[in-house]
Amino acid sequence: MKSFDSYRKWKYTKFLSNKNYSFNRNYILNIISSKIITDAFNSISKWKNYKKTPLLKLEKLNKNLKLNNIFYKDESKRFHLKSFKALGGAYAVEKISKKKKNIIISSATAGNHGRSVAWGAQRLGLQCKIFVSQYVSKERVKEIEKFGADVIRVKGNYENSLNECKKLSKKNNWNIVQDVSTKNYSYVPLLTMAGYSIMIKEISKQTTHYITHIFLQAGVGGMAAGVVAGVAKYFKRIPKIIIVEPDGADCVLQSIKSKSLKKIKIKKESIMGGMSCNEMSLIPWHVLKKASDCCVTVNDSKVPKTVAMLKDKKLSKRSIIGGECATPGIISLISLCNNPKTKKLINLNEKSNVLVIGCEGNADVKLYKQLLSKGRK
Ligand SMILES: Cc1ncc(COP(=O)(O)O)c(C=O)c1O
């Protein structure tokens, strides 16, 4: 691998400051309530094998970018599911099943959400049907099947798989556990977001530093909104919230830019599969339209290198297993620091304590190996 200083040339694709920014704890906790957040922590923290995921430091990257700290929340260690999604779908299954044993759970997924739902159903001895599009890899399907779910492949994209899931669930009286909220479907997605807020509860006990910036990856925005709700509840000081998306799937950036929910057309699916979404979920929209300080997009080209740098201890003293969706926070942080104008604009300096979320480990083992070997070249 070439000298890792080569990342000092990395660039983001788009940057947008949110003109409507106004972080208001009460506004956010009116949407994702303090009670639902507390309930999620009280339930999940009692699960067998629950433990906080590590809050690591990217010391070497920090030395190079000259910030105060760069924290990395390592969700590759989240139960044995290797992603933060374990906190969402599985928790929603537990809540909606209300200890009943004769119900069937269903869901549509790009991968990790379905795994969480399938695991949640298996934990409770429930049957489970998971719908996936043609783009979901065989590896990810196998991982879902390991938890005893029937996987149904649907031609077309995520939206097609969701429509098929809705159709068959209605016909067969299955209970849908979806992480995307719409006008008439909000309770279950709220539960998943409450589950994600646990990451912030843990971080509030893992460091005494005040976090100044959080880089939040977004697909439909559920993780970002859950984390923001956690910040509103648990953090004493409010950090800058920076939303990160693949440049071909920037539905959050486009919605914030036009001040209304925007559906975009994805021309080419990003390698960051979990984030390749064309429309925001409704509740996250209401949260993020105000709480996001700015949005940034990155392309796929630096993903393999970042996977390799994490693994090969180029960014930290310890080796870290970070999958494709764990990388864009780091890529955008580096790219924003490389541009003196944006660096200054968002106050990234020697006093900054930055948090990036390492959302997933090698959840797709085959893809991870490919990215690692490409990134090492
Ligand atoms: C594996 C994975 N899936 C999906 C997402 C996107 O989450 P959401 O659709 O809730 O924004 C992320 C993170 O952004 C992720 O790491």
Side-chain angles (χ1 to χ4, degrees), residues 2-63:
K2 272 193 249 145
S3 152
F4 85 115
D5 282 0
S6 61
Y7 64 58
R8 295 314 306 244
K9 296 198 182 77
W10 291 8
K11 290 189 171 102
Y12 53 80
T13 316
K14 287 182 211 138
F15 175 85
L16 177 85
S17 284
N18 180 7
K19 301 244 160 47
N20 276 355
Y21 173 80
S22 83
F23 197 112
N24 181 312
R25 288 181 203 265
N26 290 339
Y27 170 83
I28 294 163
L29 295 174
N30 248 327
I31 301 174
I32 305 175
S33 74
S34 194
K35 178 172 182 325
I36 204 173
I37 294 173
T38 306
D39 284 352
F41 179 74
N42 288 344
S43 298
I44 295 171
S45 58
K46 290 192 186 81
W47 290 359
K48 198 174 156 216
N49 297 330
Y50 166 79
K51 60 176 192 303
K52 291 184 193 107
T53 54
L55 184 68
L56 306 174
K57 279 188 185 178
L58 304 183
E59 310 91 339
K60 295 183 184 173
L61 178 63
N62 187 53
K63 202 167 164 217

Side-chain angles (χ1 to χ4, degrees), residues 83-85 112 179 196 217-224 274-275 277 325-326 359-360:
S83 123
F84 75 95
K85 292 258 167 178
N112 288 339
D179 54 352
Y196 302 154
Q217 295 91 322
V220 300
M223 184 196 84
M275 299 169 63
C277 302
C325 287
C359 324
E360 64 176 346

Side-chain angles (χ1 to χ4, degrees), residues 53-55 58 70-76 78 83-85 87 196 198-200 203 211 213-218 223-224 227-228 231 235 242 244 275 310 320 322-330 354-361:
T53 54
L55 184 68
L58 304 183
I70 303 172
F71 293 103
Y72 179 97
K73 184 71 170 157
D74 184 7
E75 290 298 305
S76 73
R78 187 62 71 182
S83 123
F84 75 95
K85 292 258 167 178
L87 298 167
Y196 302 154
I198 284 185
M199 289 188 276
I200 293 296
I203 291 167
I211 303 290
H213 300 74
I214 309 186
F215 284 76
L216 288 173
Q217 295 91 322
M223 184 196 84
V227 167
V228 163
V231 165
F235 275 7
I242 299 144
V244 185
M275 299 169 63
L310 282 168
I320 298 172
E324 61 280 7
C325 287
T327 63
I330 297 170
V354 174
L355 170 66
V356 293
I357 310 282
C359 324
E360 64 176 346

Side-chain angles (χ1 to χ4, degrees), residues 317-337:
K317 288 182 192 155
R318 278 207 243 173
S319 173
I320 298 172
I321 299 179
E324 61 280 7
C325 287
T327 63
I330 297 170
I331 299 170
S332 50
L333 168 63
I334 293 172
S335 306
L336 288 168
C337 285

